[in-house]
Amino acid sequence: MTNRPATNRTLRTTTRTAVVAPGLLVLLALVIAALVAAPSLPDRMAVHFGADGTADGWSSPWPVFWITLAVAAGAVALAFAALRMPDRRTAATLVLVANLFAGSLGTAWIVLAATNTVGDGTLSGWWTVPFLAVSAVIATVPVVALVRSAAPVPAHDVEPLRVGSDTRVAWRARIGSRWFAALGAVVVGLGIGTGIAMAPAGVGTAVGFGAAMVVAGLAVLVLARVELTVDRRGMRLTSTWTRIPLMRVPLERIESCGWEDVSPGQWGGWGYRFSGRGVAYVVRSGPGLVARLRGGQARMVTVPDAAGGAAALGALLAQRTPA
């Protein structure tokens, strides 16, 4: 087996600043806006506006402010924690989500506070452009800094199983996530509850919202338990609960194989992922079986015995008749 170990680069001061500063700026701007606006904010401020910019929904400003402040503070705490995480790609994914929430909620509260104090009480739809731009910058800057300082993905080549040319080779493993199962069940339950709760407002609306959530929950449940098979047909990933095929890679499309020390951040998170590298099923950090395809793409599945799967797949590739 050939290993190509790699270590993270030491974080420079500029990198640390890029990771932490965006969240701190949101937190500071939110506190300053609240202090400046507090004397003149009404008990109920306009929080929703129609297409013509006229307010049509009102609420107390402070419950939303405290929730937003807590989210912003949590994003800052996560940014500081990310500086110490060895897996910087996964840290970047977590900071991305946290800063998107903090940036969007913080910007929205500041804009609404300004509209209700120094503005004329109307809000044009064009305000969403700077709102989205600010949120994107706040979320993107730390991600770029963390990913650029991360070590290359550790890759491992495995010696194929030693078998005869006419020996039938097959390998199988079952993997899954209890978190996926729990999340899917919760979303299905919320979908049913949402449909029932919204029924008085209209059957069509209730069915639409409820069905969308139920379908989303069922999609997560499909990914909760899967079976990975390697044999003469190639590599296949199938849902064990529904037998729905999730990934099929014919043997003739595979150029080489191996395994990697996978982190969810390498593929953009958990679940069934699409990226520039290819397609992956990610449920945890750790070893993942990688099939490298002709043309440069890859297919990857996180599985404890990734080395065993790679050895079996390597044997099948060795048996393949050269084109």
Side-chain angles (χ1 to χ4, degrees):
M1 179 172 65
T2 303
N3 297 342
R4 297 193 292 273
T7 56
N8 287 322
R9 301 171 186 169
T10 302
L11 289 175
R12 298 179 297 179
T13 301
T14 53
T15 302
R16 293 176 179 273
T17 302
V19 173
V20 175
L24 281 174
L25 288 175
V26 172
L27 185 61
L28 182 62
L30 190 61
V31 171
I32 292 174
L35 292 174
V36 172
S40 52
L41 266 179
D43 292 336
R44 291 176 61 80
M45 73 175 185
V47 295
H48 190 272
F49 299 82
D52 60 352
T54 303
D56 58 9
W58 291 262
S59 178
S60 172
W62 299 114
V64 177
F65 168 78
W66 292 115
I67 293 173
T68 304
L69 186 68
V71 171
V76 172
L78 182 60
F80 277 105
L83 298 176
R84 297 179 174 274
M85 291 183 183
D87 183 355
R88 290 182 184 164
R89 290 182 176 85
T90 299
T93 302
L94 297 173
V95 172
L96 171 68
V97 174
N99 278 16
L100 276 176
F101 274 106
S104 57
L105 290 175
T107 304
W109 194 92
I110 292 171
V111 169
L112 291 174
T115 301
N116 283 267
T117 53
V118 299
D120 60 0
T122 63
L123 187 62
S124 170
W126 286 105
W127 80 275
T128 56
V129 175
F131 163 78
L132 293 174
V134 169
S135 300
V137 171
I138 290 169
T140 303
V141 170
V143 171
V144 173
L146 285 167
V147 171
R148 289 183 63 181
S149 66
V153 178
H156 308 264
D157 297 322
V158 179
E159 183 178 351
L161 292 174
R162 297 181 181 275
V163 295
S165 58
D166 58 348
T167 302
R168 297 188 64 177
V169 178
W171 177 90
R172 181 175 298 167
R174 289 193 173 187
I175 57 269
S177 169
R178 293 179 180 177
W179 290 105
F180 279 21
L183 177 61
V186 168
V187 174
V188 169
L190 288 174
I192 295 173
T194 298
I196 295 173
M198 295 183 66
V203 176
T205 302
V207 171
F209 277 95
M213 294 183 68
V214 169
V215 170
L218 291 176
V220 176
L221 286 173
V222 167
L223 298 175
R225 188 70 176 170
V226 300
E227 182 177 84
L228 178 62
T229 303
V230 171
D231 58 22
R232 59 185 175 81
R233 292 173 292 181
M235 188 171 84
R236 300 188 312 283
L237 185 70
T238 307
S239 170
T240 57
W241 293 351
T242 64
R243 307 311 302 173
I244 295 175
L246 305 174
M247 186 187 298
R248 286 179 176 174
V249 190
L251 194 64
E252 58 269 18
R253 289 191 59 198
I254 302 175
E255 186 173 60
S256 64
C257 64
W259 68 277
E260 294 180 357
D261 291 319
V262 177
S263 72
Q266 294 169 7
W267 296 87
W270 294 261
Y272 198 76
R273 313 303 301 176
F274 296 88
S275 74
R277 291 187 63 196
V279 182
Y281 171 81
V282 184
V283 293
R284 60 173 64 88
S285 297
L289 173 59
V290 180
R292 307 180 190 103
L293 310 185
R294 303 182 189 277
Q297 287 279 298
R299 300 292 183 267
M300 192 283 298
V301 178
T302 53
V303 57
D305 186 23
L313 185 55
L316 290 162
L317 293 176
Q319 288 180 341
R320 184 174 56 191
T321 302

